């Protein structure tokens, strides 16, 4: 997002990562809401408490639009109340096909000829929000999960920033972020 020249003000992560260092290098706020403090990845995870802290942190930074990438946590109502229809997510498949954490692996297992990348509005249900943009990536003979995922990520690095830029223009114009046919490409 920084490379695309987007006005990134805050980077929030759920564990220490390179994204926080990147934020600091670019003068953006770097916020860690450590998932370990809310039960980690196990059955004791306090999703409500974690989401409330994420929402409060983003509100404190006066964020206009949330663009999730690799977050892997379905957030509760608290963040959606704070940022109604202003949370974007990216997924490595052509939704609605292959939702969930293993979209690339699932696409390969299904033997599809193409998969791709989807940018959608995040909702309370995983990978089920309105689709804003998609781009197909062909599955090549001999593809592994890693090789296919790398090609999908190359598409995502163009599609996601372009969609975020579009969403910011919509918000600046006083319009809501809604799917438009010309935004969806296959």
């Amino acid at each position: 997002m920084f490379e695309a020249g987007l006005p990134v003000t805050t980077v929030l992560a759920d564990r220490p990562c390179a994204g926080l260092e990147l934020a600091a290098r670019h003068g953006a706020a770097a916020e860690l809401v450590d998932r370990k403090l809310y039960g980690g990845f196990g059955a004791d995870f306090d999703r409500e408490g974690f989401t409330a802290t994420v929402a409060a942190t983003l509100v404190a930074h006066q964020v206009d639009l949330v663009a999730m990438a690799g977050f892997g946590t379905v957030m509760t109502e608290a963040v959606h109340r704070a940022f109604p229809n202003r949370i974007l997510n990216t997924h490595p498949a052509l939704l609605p096909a292959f939702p969930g954490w293993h979209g690339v692996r699932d696409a390969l297992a299904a033997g599809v000829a193409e998969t791709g990348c989807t940018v959608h509005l995040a909702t309370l249900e995983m990978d089920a929000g309105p689709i804003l943009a998609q781009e197909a990536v062909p599955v090549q003979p001999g593809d592994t999960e890693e090789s296919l995922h790398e090609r999908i990520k190359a598409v995502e690095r163009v599609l996601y920033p372009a969609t975020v830029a579009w969403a910011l223009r919509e918000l600046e114009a006083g319009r809501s972020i809604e799917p438009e046919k010309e935004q969806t490409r296959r």
Side-chain angles (χ1 to χ4, degrees):
M1 299 293 173
F2 291 111
E3 293 80 14
L6 294 172
V8 178
T9 62
T10 307
V11 173
L12 184 145
D14 65 352
R15 64 198 97 171
C17 66
L20 296 173
E21 296 165 15
L22 187 64
R25 283 199 306 271
H26 283 88
E31 292 285 350
L32 174 63
V33 178
D34 198 330
R35 192 178 165 116
K36 285 191 288 191
L37 300 175
Y38 296 88
F41 291 89
D44 295 333
F45 177 56
D46 176 9
R47 186 176 312 277
E48 291 289 342
F50 177 77
T51 301
T53 301
V54 166
T57 302
L58 294 173
V59 167
H61 284 283
Q62 299 179 333
V63 169
D64 294 318
L65 180 71
V66 177
M68 297 192 301
F71 208 64
T73 300
V74 176
M75 306 288 257
T76 66
E77 186 65 35
V79 79
H80 294 281
R81 276 193 311 272
F83 301 96
N85 295 316
R86 293 185 288 136
I87 304 170
L88 277 58
N89 193 26
T90 183
H91 182 72
L94 295 175
L95 293 174
F98 312 115
W101 195 248
H102 301 288
V104 178
R105 182 185 67 196
D106 295 345
L108 282 171
V112 296
E114 70 176 14
T115 186
C117 176
T118 300
V119 180
H120 63 96
L121 285 173
T123 61
L124 292 171
E125 188 178 339
M126 182 187 300
D127 298 329
I131 294 169
L132 301 175
Q134 291 184 308
E135 191 164 328
V137 174
V139 176
Q140 297 176 351
D143 256 336
T144 64
E145 185 174 347
E146 294 76 25
S147 65
L148 180 55
H149 203 183
E150 285 304 313
R151 287 201 322 285
I152 292 170
K153 285 192 284 187
V155 167
E156 178 185 64
R157 288 183 193 110
V158 175
L159 185 64
Y160 203 17
T163 307
V164 169
W166 166 81
L168 287 170
R169 287 192 304 273
E170 292 295 292
L171 291 174
E172 285 176 12
R175 294 186 292 265
S176 61
I177 301 168
E178 296 180 15
E180 294 183 16
K181 290 184 188 258
E182 59 268 15
Q183 291 298 317
T184 302
R185 296 185 292 168
R186 284 189 88 171

